[in-house]
Amino acid sequence: MHTENTAPGGRVSATAAAWAGGCAAWLAAASALAYEPASAAPGRINDPAAGWDHLWHEVIVDITIIGVIFALVMAWFLWRYRARKPGEVGTQSKLSPAAVIGWAVIPTFIFMADDFYLAANGWKLWNDYRDVPADRMEVKLESGMYSWDYTYANGVRTQNVLRVPAGKPVMLRMTSRDTLHSHFIPDFRVKEDSMPGRVTYLWFYPKAPGEHVVSCAEYCGVMHSYMAGKIIVMPEGEFKTWLDQEVAKLAPADKAVDKSAEKTADKPANPPV
Amino acid sequence: MSFNIKEWIFTTDHKRVGVLYLIGSIAAFGVAGIAAMLMRIELSTLGPTITTNPTQYNVWLYAHGAVMILGFQIPALTGFFANYCIPLMIGAKDVAFPRVNALSVWLFYVGIILALLTFVVPDPPDVMWTGYPPYSTITTGNTALYSFTVLVLGFASIIGGVNFLTTVAYMRAPGLKWSNLNIFVWCTLGAFVLQLIFVPVLGTAVTLISFDKYLGTHFFDPSRGGDVLTYQNLFWFYSHPAVYVIFLPFIGVVYEIVATFAKNRVFNHKVVLWGGIGGIVILSGEVWVHHLYVSGMADWIRIGQMVTTLLISIPVGLLVISLAGTLYKGSITFETPMLYALGVLFLFLIGGLTGIPLALTSLTLHLSDTYYVVGHFHYVMAVAGTFAIFGGVYYWFPKITGRMYNERWGKIGFWLTFVGVNIVFWIMMTVGVKGMPRRYYDYSAFPQFESAHQWMTLGAAILGVGFLIAVANWIIGAMKGAPAGDNPWRSQSLEWTTVSPPPHGNWPSPPSVDPDWTPYSYERR
Ligand code: HEM
Ligand SMILES: [Cu+2]
Ligand SMILES: [Cu+2]
């Protein structure tokens, strides 16, 4: 048994260090959790896509720092402790019990603090993704091998092209008539699977006129990679004109009453199909 | 050593069983690697390149994924390394049930043959290695072949697990305490515990899809009272722990290599066992929903498993710190096995850290099912695991064959693969973040990614050459390498105390160890 201890951290009173580190880590974690995910003030809309870019940036910085520290320490060890002469062996001595605990507890608390910090931020953004603003346009989506079939509230139907007005949140209530599909809009940083027997939803916030690719992100069959569509964001006036024209073309029986004004901001429940 | 094919087929010697596992799994790696190369070539131009039939691509992808995991990595790690090393590391003559062991390797070969039938049956499975219904129950592809392949390979692995748990429990050399077992042994036991608990769940899942498809049941058909998500839960309830079935033994191999080439004790040995390995075994069953973040699961469980997923960073972090710490005050040399082990650390660092965004449910709403995910899991599991396997084969090569491989070609092969994988999988993650979906035969909707795809194909060619050099190096080394001696790396671990290659029964008289002996005690001379 060694009494002298030269291992890293062995000389400092590791128990004291563990307590200090642990308390600091818990404080950090607690403050991260206390960071109450404020829901959007009335009338203000938290755009999940912007939130995604922000959080992504934050996480990339976080993991880059961890990665660079680890890599540098490792590279330094490899250089510093390379074998100088044949037959040499390593000289690391056994950790004292306090150091063993310190080297378990301190990293644990540090990782845990970072985990909770990230979890709190991830959760906040998650709420933005799942709470749909009250002032929204709802469209039903039925996916099938291999097309996206949209139905507007007033009964207008389109295939593979979804036209929406700029400046209004759009929510899709989705189901599938055959296999799994996943309605993926890279530009709006969102996807969710559609499947038979359940209704899922997603929403996005198209702010300016333009076109965006839709692609299928869940393997759904032979032509999976060809299941592409398009979202066309139009100025509000143009969109209205287009929608009115389409309604006019509908047979009376296909027309539906638009009830979208009655929605509240919420996580929508999943009604049966 | 005279060669008698009958002796090999009917062998019950754990070392030969292990070598049979190695040969089978490297062959499987070759086949799945060719499938990967075909995919990469197909993707090198927009639109059709070498096949105009999307199903052809989907079959390659199915075969690549299923064979790499079930036919290469799990059998190489829990079949070859476990068989070859565990009895030698614990100072045993053989495993507890040598005939059961022989049965498991035969079943493994049956499984490999079933998997290879993919390339010859008229309607091969095209359900991806995940086999999700409803597609798997309505496709014209042969889903039954998928189910049987999984069942046979799973069963082979389970009986291996029973065998090794018994072997380590009852056949350790006199004086060898549980806490002084090699870390590789502990890791592998952890992996086998996971296999024993979770493989039956996978068996259930794949059996039920075949019931639905061929017997007319409706487990996953909502129009008749079933539910499609049930399958995904069952599948990942196994297949997430399966990632640790691969991870644990491969990090165990890395420990053996790093300790030997740093000639050092393992840093914080006890915490590795209880915090690292134990922590992973315990947490591994509580994170499967992170594979279902976009599949329509209830919100509360998506959030809950975001937290458990993030917590996995703790045991994994303890392992990485311990590996780095093992270099501290070491006396490090850089032979080929060590290069691969350090390569694993590097790849695993990138793979592990790029998993953190994926743990966050909200970020995954964009990243899921893109090339970002594919790039991430190749770093963290596919390629890191493969590097560990290659490093491990180099490391124990002198023990297995009694001969030495060629060091220079070993290093050349390593560097080619290392450069190649970073080209392929780094670019893969970057196009994924920009929106490239996975499992795409044709990415015409994303023409902007064509040049990135071409770079990936080039990278794949480079890494392919590197792997070929390694395998050629083994074959040539096994036939005419210079005699290696019994312990060329001057390791302290028990497997190096017998002659190379070890005879049937391993030691003339069974070894025993002092109570304060550990496999990593370099200082006490
Ligand atoms: C060594 C060179 C490798 C290359 C060039 C390679 C290439 C690829 C590519 C291009 C894909 C995705 C294609 C797509 O989504 O359309 C893929 C998927 C996959 N690879 Fe690899 N891979 C390699 C090694 C491995 C290894 C060693 C494993 C072992 C586990 C592995 C496991 C997988 C799995 C599970 C998938 C997903 C299959 C699916 O989507 O169902 N790969 N690989
Ligand atoms: Cu689809
Ligand atoms: Cu699809």
Side-chain angles (χ1 to χ4, degrees):
Chain A
M1 207 38 219
H2 290 263
T3 41
E4 190 222 44
N5 198 314
T6 49
R11 273 188 199 281
V12 272
S13 164
T15 329
W19 276 108
C23 295
W26 272 116
L27 273 178
S31 55
L33 278 177
Y35 183 41
E36 171 65 18
S39 54
R44 220 190 82 82
I45 293 170
N46 285 337
D47 177 13
W52 192 96
D53 288 353
H54 182 79
L55 182 58
W56 168 255
H57 184 80
E58 217 172 89
V59 175
I60 288 297
V61 171
D62 184 294
I63 63 180
T64 307
I65 292 174
I66 302 175
V68 168
I69 291 176
F70 261 113
L72 287 180
V73 171
M74 214 94 83
W76 163 244
F77 282 177
L78 289 175
W79 169 255
R80 171 68 184 75
Y81 300 111
R82 65 194 188 282
R84 313 290 165 107
K85 47 184 190 295
E88 220 178 40
V89 297
T91 55
Q92 190 176 127
S93 44
K94 204 167 177 175
L95 293 187
S96 68
V100 168
I101 293 168
W103 275 102
V105 172
I106 297 175
T108 299
F109 275 103
I110 294 174
F111 288 131
M112 219 194 281
D114 196 36
D115 288 345
F116 283 136
Y117 170 75
L118 292 172
N121 285 326
W123 191 0
K124 178 174 176 301
L125 178 60
W126 172 252
N127 285 333
D128 293 345
Y129 267 109
R130 301 306 285 171
D131 291 340
V132 193
D135 178 27
R136 65 188 178 234
M137 181 174 94
E138 274 192 26
V139 179
K140 282 195 177 128
L141 164 66
E142 185 181 274
S143 53
M145 297 157 87
Y146 299 90
S147 70
W148 306 106
D149 299 343
Y150 303 100
T151 308
Y152 291 81
N154 57 17
V156 169
R157 291 156 176 273
T158 63
Q159 192 167 64
N160 293 337
V161 179
L162 176 67
R163 288 170 190 273
V164 297
K168 196 173 180 81
V170 180
M171 173 186 180
L172 299 180
R173 282 186 192 272
M174 307 180 290
T175 187
S176 169
R177 60 174 170 270
D178 41 47
T179 59
L180 306 170
H181 305 271
S182 195
H183 192 273
F184 178 28
I185 326 164
D187 287 350
F188 293 120
R189 312 279 189 267
V190 69
K191 71 169 72 68
E192 182 94 6
D193 288 6
S194 55
M195 73 199 99
R198 289 188 186 220
V199 177
T200 53
Y201 71 90
L202 60 77
W203 77 277
F204 56 95
Y205 188 28
K207 288 181 198 154
E211 280 193 23
H212 306 275
V213 172
V214 171
S215 60
C216 181
E218 185 63 63
Y219 181 67
C220 52
V222 182
M223 303 301 273
H224 162 59
S225 67
Y226 290 103
M227 203 165 146
K230 193 155 62 177
I231 290 176
I232 303 180
V233 186
M234 309 167 84
E236 210 180 330
E238 263 177 52
F239 174 77
K240 263 215 157 69
T241 322
W242 170 81
L243 196 63
D244 290 344
Q245 274 169 8
E246 295 298 306
V247 176
K249 288 189 218 157
L250 285 180
D254 290 340
K255 283 189 191 157
V257 190
D258 186 346
K259 287 195 231 131
S260 57
E262 297 159 16
K263 302 286 182 291
T264 52
D266 200 1
K267 295 193 204 314
N270 280 352
V273 186
Chain B
M1 219 179 24
S2 69
F3 184 77
N4 178 339
I5 186 119
K6 230 171 104 186
E7 262 176 31
W8 275 87
I9 295 178
F10 294 106
T11 186
T12 54
D13 178 352
H14 71 97
K15 298 181 292 301
R16 290 192 168 188
V17 169
V19 171
L20 289 178
Y21 261 113
L22 178 65
I23 294 170
S25 53
I26 293 293
F29 176 66
V31 172
I34 291 170
M37 232 20 247
L38 290 170
M39 290 191 291
R40 281 308 337 153
I41 296 171
E42 174 53 50
L43 294 169
S44 62
T45 68
L46 217 53
T49 308
I50 51 173
T51 173
T52 52
N53 178 4
T55 298
Q56 181 65 68
Y57 181 89
N58 296 339
V59 170
W60 290 333
L61 183 50
Y62 160 76
H64 171 74
V67 173
M68 280 292 191
I69 291 178
L70 300 169
F72 165 55
Q73 288 205 328
I74 293 181
L77 290 162
T78 63
F80 162 62
F81 286 116
N83 260 298
Y84 199 90
C85 300
I86 287 182
L88 286 170
M89 282 175 172
I90 66 170
K93 275 175 166 338
D94 207 309
V95 294
F97 309 115
R99 282 157 186 264
V100 173
N101 211 18
L103 176 64
S104 97
V105 77
W106 290 359
L107 279 175
F108 163 65
Y109 273 86
V110 173
I112 293 280
I113 291 167
L114 283 177
L116 294 184
L117 283 178
T118 301
F119 296 101
V120 292
V121 296
D123 289 307
D126 64 339
V127 296
M128 301 302 141
W129 87 282
T130 47
Y132 281 4
Y135 184 66
S136 57
T137 61
I138 62 170
T139 171
T140 52
N142 195 333
T143 304
L145 187 54
Y146 166 74
S147 301
F148 277 113
T149 309
V150 171
L151 285 170
V152 169
L153 289 171
F155 191 60
S157 177
I158 284 192
I159 61 179
V162 174
N163 203 349
F164 284 105
L165 289 173
T166 317
T167 304
V168 177
Y170 291 108
M171 299 177 69
R172 297 188 312 280
L176 182 48
K177 292 187 294 195
W178 280 95
S179 55
N180 286 344
L181 289 172
N182 287 63
I183 291 185
F184 172 78
V185 176
W186 268 76
C187 286
T188 311
L189 291 185
F192 277 128
V193 168
L194 293 177
Q195 285 291 78
L196 289 176
I197 297 173
F198 292 106
V199 166
V201 183
L202 177 69
T204 310
V206 299
T207 306
L208 293 185
I209 47 172
S210 275
F211 281 3
D212 267 15
K213 181 165 182 196
Y214 300 101
L215 302 183
T217 56
H218 303 282
F219 293 105
F220 308 122
D221 175 3
S223 69
R224 310 288 282 276
D227 178 18
V228 287
L229 283 186
T230 306
Y231 177 85
Q232 298 181 28
N233 278 295
L234 291 174
F235 181 85
W236 288 109
F237 197 67
Y238 165 72
S239 294
H240 190 81
V243 174
Y244 300 107
V245 170
I246 291 171
F247 170 72
L248 285 173
F250 92 54
I251 208 72
V253 169
V254 170
Y255 264 106
E256 301 304 324
I257 298 175
V258 167
T260 294
F261 289 90
K263 298 280 176 297
N264 218 357
R265 74 168 73 247
V266 165
F267 183 74
N268 226 349
H269 195 145
K270 280 225 171 61
V271 168
V272 170
L273 306 186
W274 298 108
I277 302 172
I280 285 177
V281 168
I282 286 167
L283 276 175
S284 67
E286 287 99 59
V287 299
W288 80 94
V289 169
H290 69 222
H291 297 271
L292 284 77
Y293 277 165
V294 301
S295 66
M297 290 291 284
D299 285 351
W300 65 268
I301 196 166
R302 289 195 251 191
I303 288 295
Q305 297 219 347
M306 166 176 83
V307 177
T308 49
T309 302
L310 283 165
L311 291 180
I312 289 268
S313 66
I314 294 172
V316 168
L318 291 177
L319 292 178
V320 175
I321 288 178
S322 150
L323 277 166
T326 303
L327 301 172
Y328 178 76
K329 293 200 169 180
S331 169
I332 305 166
T333 56
F334 297 90
E335 287 86 351
T336 306
M338 185 62 165
L339 291 184
Y340 276 98
L342 296 172
V344 175
L345 276 175
F346 180 83
L347 298 169
F348 186 74
L349 197 57
I350 294 183
L353 290 169
T354 54
I356 289 177
L358 288 170
L360 301 179
T361 30
S362 36
L363 289 185
T364 300
L365 290 186
H366 175 63
L367 298 172
S368 177
D369 289 307
T370 66
Y371 264 43
Y372 181 82
V373 173
V374 183
H376 152 73
F377 75 68
H378 277 83
Y379 263 109
V380 79
M381 173 196 77
V383 181
T386 305
F387 269 52
I389 292 168
F390 274 62
V393 172
Y394 271 118
Y395 176 60
W396 281 293
F397 187 87
K399 182 53 53 184
I400 300 168
T401 62
R403 295 172 187 275
M404 210 52 178
Y405 59 86
N406 181 308
E407 190 62 57
R408 189 149 67 97
W409 282 103
K411 286 183 171 148
I412 294 174
F414 166 81
W415 284 109
L416 285 174
T417 21
F418 185 73
V419 169
V421 294
N422 282 295
I423 295 176
V424 182
F425 298 111
W426 188 269
I427 298 178
M428 211 178 255
M429 291 196 294
T430 60
V431 294
V433 176
K434 293 180 192 148
M436 172 76 207
R438 72 191 273 198
R439 297 172 169 176
Y440 263 34
Y441 156 72
D442 182 352
Y443 49 100
S444 297
F446 301 92
Q448 68 271 32
F449 298 143
E450 192 176 20
S451 69
H453 274 287
Q454 287 162 353
W455 280 102
M456 285 190 258
T457 305
L458 178 73
I462 297 174
L463 74 87
V465 172
F467 281 135
L468 284 178
I469 290 177
V471 175
N473 198 350
W474 300 338
I475 294 174
I476 296 170
M479 290 188 312
K480 45 185 175 199
D486 294 344
N487 188 3
W489 313 127
R490 299 185 295 114
S491 171
Q492 295 290 316
S493 184
L494 273 186
E495 78 269 24
W496 299 99
T497 61
T498 179
V499 294
S500 305
H504 196 71
N506 297 343
W507 283 273
S509 60
S512 66
V513 298
D514 305 340
D516 67 337
W517 171 92
T518 84
Y520 315 111
S521 325
Y522 285 93
E523 256 193 319
R524 358 160 291 148
R525 262 154 296 174

